[in-house]
Amino acid sequence: MTRSSLRPSPSTLALAALGGAANVAAVLALFARADYPALESPPELAVLAATGFALGFVSLFISAHTRLLTPAVGFVAVLLGTVYTELTTPMPEWGELGGYVVVEGPTHVWSYANSWYIWLSLLLIAGLVEFGVRRGYGLGDRRLRNLPSMPLSRTAILGMVTVGAGFLGVGTTRLVLRAGINPRVAAAVVFVGATAVAAVPLAALLTRGLLVPTVLFALLVPYFLTIEVFTATDSPVHILLFGPYAIGLLIGAAFENWLRSRLRGWNGGRFADHQSA
């Protein structure tokens, strides 16, 4: 793979920009429909536009540049789900109390737009999982572009796990801090737990091709994060369970590795052969 082949094409950049613009347009249209106060604050509006564009741009850029499907499909699904929910629930009613804006009713699009980092981290993890499964098990991997082949070096694995898990850890911590977690020191526990709960399935998949931790992650973690995004509780007990759940994922990985090795002679296949530092 040459350096020039890694450069994004004009069509890739155009598609990514279109995704970013579409996300911004959808969010602002829903804000205007319900007269969100953010429309009267140019700084807040600028942040919403920048972060909304970044979410759509990065998601579609990854898919267009690599041919991975999950970042683009996941982005479209979350956006459409938010639009549908916003349009089919009562509009919020705005008021003022003691100089502060108060609201009655759901504000789904606000929650979606201001939690862009959660969606982006989940889409990055989904892309890494898709990459691992398709490359490692040969499922349409010839269609992939600008991605390394298997087996991965330890440096590459470390980088992918760090980016995917670290982004989720930081995003989840920011989410609970914004919600007003109490005591605030608990945010450090959230960071460690959220990072670990993403690192275990990514590492298990990319090093040995183990799938159970990824399945267990997908069944619970996105659901709990979605609850936190749209309810904004100040006592996210379910998020604090990510740490113990990460230990459960580690046990699941060890059990799957033992079972596949014992019954099917699994030795890691493409994932583990001839890895280099």
Side-chain angles (χ1 to χ4, degrees), residues 70-95:
T70 48
V73 172
F75 161 69
V76 172
V78 174
L79 176 59
L80 291 180
T82 301
V83 171
Y84 175 80
T85 303
E86 184 77 6
L87 294 177
T88 55
T89 53
M91 287 194 294
E93 297 181 4
W94 306 96

Side-chain angles (χ1 to χ4, degrees), residues 1 5 12 16 22 24 34 51 61 68 74 102 130 150 155 159-160 166 169 175 202 212 250 275:
M1 184 181 298
S5 68
T12 292
V24 173
T51 55
F61 177 85
L68 292 170
V102 295
E130 181 187 354
M150 290 288 186
T155 301
M160 291 180 182
L175 183 67
L202 287 175
V212 167
L250 193 61
Q275 287 200 29

